[in-house]
Amino acid sequence: MGNHLTNWKVVALVSGNIEAVSGLAAEDRPRTHEWIVWEWQAADKAEALQSAEKADPRVDLEWMRIRYEMDLNTR
């Protein structure tokens, strides 16, 4: 059985929204005023978002928002 994992980036935008991107869309991320919440391999977008939620408790998947509008690099 093959491994179907893809490299994903979960990015927080200044607006408070988060995005999970892979492939070409992920290459130039993060852009200005964005921060990487999580970056690694996942089977799909849902798994990438769930992993980001576990990695950073400020990620709230129910509302798809960052709970605190702080620099995500400061923990």
Side-chain angles (χ1 to χ4, degrees):
M1 195 182 277
N3 186 348
H4 294 92
L5 296 178
T6 303
N7 289 323
W8 286 87
K9 290 181 183 178
V10 177
V11 180
L13 290 75
V14 170
S15 65
N17 294 325
I18 61 172
E19 278 185 43
V21 292
S22 67
L24 293 175
E27 285 184 10
D28 65 342
R29 302 300 274 274
R31 297 179 185 138
T32 304
H33 305 299
E34 294 181 345
W35 298 269
I36 291 184
V37 176
W38 180 86
E39 180 178 8
W40 199 249
Q41 294 182 338
D44 57 22
K45 188 175 191 172
E47 183 181 342
L49 289 168
Q50 288 171 350
S51 295
E53 184 178 40
K54 291 175 187 172
D56 191 327
R58 291 171 286 188
V59 176
D60 184 343
L61 292 183
E62 182 177 348
W63 298 104
M64 298 298 291
R65 310 266 306 162
I66 300 300
R67 290 188 182 134
Y68 305 107
E69 292 183 7
M70 297 180 195
D71 183 344
L72 293 177
N73 294 322
T74 306
R75 294 186 188 252

